[in-house]
Amino acid sequence: MPKLNLKTKNEAQELVKAYLEENASEILADKINNGVRIQKDGKTLINKKTLDGFISYATGEARKISEKGANSACVGQSVVFGWAVHFFEEDSIEGTLYNEDGTEYKPPKSVAKTKPAVSATPPPAPKPKPQMSLFDMLDVPAKEQKTPAVPSISEPKDIPDDENEEPTEEEKQEILAELAEEEREAEKNPAPEPAGSPLWQSYTALQNKYPDHILAYRVGDFYEIFGNNAKLLAEPLDLTLTSRDCGLNERVLMVGFPYHAADNYISKAVGKGLKIAVAESRDQPVRQYPEPQTAPPVQTDPAPDKPVKHWVDDTTYIDEDGVVHNLDEETDDEPPFDISAFDPEALAILDELLGEQIEMR
């Protein structure tokens, strides 16, 4: 049983740790104790997870269940333990990130664009010209007196505002025609679908071989089911429907169950009338549930037994009933040999060499 260096803060975390220490494989224990190297921000980092992080993850999973329409979520202990294995097994779930030298990784801060500083002191207002008093105006000759010019206020010129101007009906039709043409081009030349991750390629290759089955593929300490198969299995087995990044344009739906409880889940699925195909890897044989029935062997009629004859001499034999037959006396039976199968000339020469010992009938 592996020893895990997970710190616990309460009874719930102690239960999860005890379960992991009892059921985790060596590979999963190594991930928990030493972390997993990942690439982020152009650097190699070590992703390590804690029980505090798992509690936050499990709370989110329970919230997803409650969002389906219930006011609360009642989650069984086995489901929580399954979440724990998935949390520490799944590399895409981030915990605390560390640099390779052991220091905690701090993501680079985004540099905000600074605006030019604005002077807080407003520019000095122009000094008003001193107003002439009535006495000052009386001292100036009438010809030199000037009436202060009143600035004329002209109507503002119309400035076209292209942004707020409503497009004409003709322009609207042109825009709609361009959008329709872009849609037609996209339908003719759709963007190629990515091949997906090696896991996805292995899963789909095996699923194509068993189209009538729901394929459960072994990933670490879990059997995982993807795509429409995940939908078919989630409700009957009361599994939480989640998703995984499989290298496609969108995440793929997924459900999973622990490998050590696989027999219970498979039996329950078969009891619901589902067919399950279980694969440990792409190269190993796939197990089918329920097991395919083999056709019974074809029964063939036995060949009729030939009558048994025990020959005493060339002309006498005993049949299977113990009756003695003599060919000289019975003309219906064939002789023990037929000379028509031999060359007459060869038989004549042989008879001459043997001193006429051959009797021809």
Side-chain angles (χ1 to χ4, degrees), residues 108-346:
K109 295 182 179 179
S110 58
V111 180
K113 295 182 179 180
T114 58
K115 295 182 179 180
V118 179
S119 175
T121 305
K127 295 180 180 181
K129 293 181 179 180
Q131 186 175 2
M132 297 179 67
S133 65
L134 179 61
F135 299 100
D136 293 332
M137 295 180 67
L138 290 175
D139 293 340
V140 179
K143 292 183 180 180
E144 294 183 3
Q145 293 182 12
K146 295 181 180 179
T147 304
V150 179
S152 63
I153 303 175
S154 60
E155 292 294 329
K157 297 181 179 180
D158 293 335
I159 301 175
D161 188 359
D162 294 338
E163 294 181 358
N164 298 326
E165 187 176 348
E166 182 73 17
T168 64
E169 187 64 28
E170 182 179 355
E171 290 174 340
K172 291 180 180 179
Q173 294 299 326
E174 290 180 357
I175 294 173
L176 292 176
E178 291 177 359
L179 293 175
E181 181 64 25
E182 291 178 359
E183 290 180 359
R184 286 193 293 269
E185 289 296 327
E187 292 176 356
K188 292 179 181 178
N189 304 307
E193 180 75 13
S197 64
L199 170 62
W200 175 250
Q201 295 180 34
S202 298
Y203 186 87
T204 53
L206 286 175
Q207 181 62 74
N208 291 336
K209 294 181 179 179
Y210 301 90
D212 298 332
H213 290 67
I214 295 175
L215 180 65
Y217 195 86
R218 177 76 176 269
V219 181
D221 289 340
F222 261 69
Y223 285 107
E224 297 186 354
I225 300 93
F226 298 99
N228 290 330
N229 286 343
K231 288 183 179 180
L232 295 174
L233 212 58
E235 185 175 350
L237 300 189
D238 194 23
L239 295 172
T240 301
L241 192 63
T242 180
S243 64
R244 175 191 273 270
D245 182 5
C246 293
L248 304 177
N249 292 332
E250 297 179 354
R251 294 177 67 87
V252 179
L253 293 176
M254 184 200 78
V255 295
F257 49 81
Y259 79 98
H260 61 270
D263 292 341
N264 295 333
Y265 285 98
I266 293 172
S267 298
K268 187 175 180 181
V270 173
K272 299 285 186 178
L274 301 174
K275 295 181 179 180
I276 307 296
V278 179
E280 300 297 325
S281 70
R282 186 170 182 173
D283 301 326
Q284 295 185 15
V286 175
R287 304 189 303 276
Q288 301 178 55
Y289 300 92
E291 295 183 1
Q293 297 180 354
T294 57
V298 178
Q299 298 291 336
T300 57
D301 296 332
D305 295 335
K306 295 182 179 180
V308 179
K309 295 180 180 180
H310 300 284
W311 290 91
V312 179
D313 54 29
D314 293 342
T315 60
T316 305
Y317 70 90
I318 303 173
D319 64 17
E320 57 185 354
D321 296 327
V323 180
V324 179
H325 297 266
N326 191 306
L327 297 181
D328 291 337
E329 298 176 357
E330 301 177 5
T331 58
D332 294 337
D333 287 349
E334 294 181 356
F337 61 90
D338 185 4
I339 65 172
S340 63
F342 300 93
D343 185 2
E345 295 181 2

Side-chain angles (χ1 to χ4, degrees), residues 76-120:
Q77 192 178 62
S78 60
V79 176
V80 176
F81 289 153
W83 288 345
V85 176
H86 180 69
F87 173 78
F88 287 100
E89 172 72 33
E90 178 56 50
D91 294 342
S92 63
I93 300 175
E94 287 189 5
T96 305
L97 301 181
Y98 295 90
N99 296 304
E100 291 187 290
D101 59 3
T103 59
E104 186 173 351
Y105 172 70
K106 301 295 183 182
K109 295 182 179 179
S110 58
V111 180
K113 295 182 179 180
T114 58
K115 295 182 179 180
V118 179
S119 175

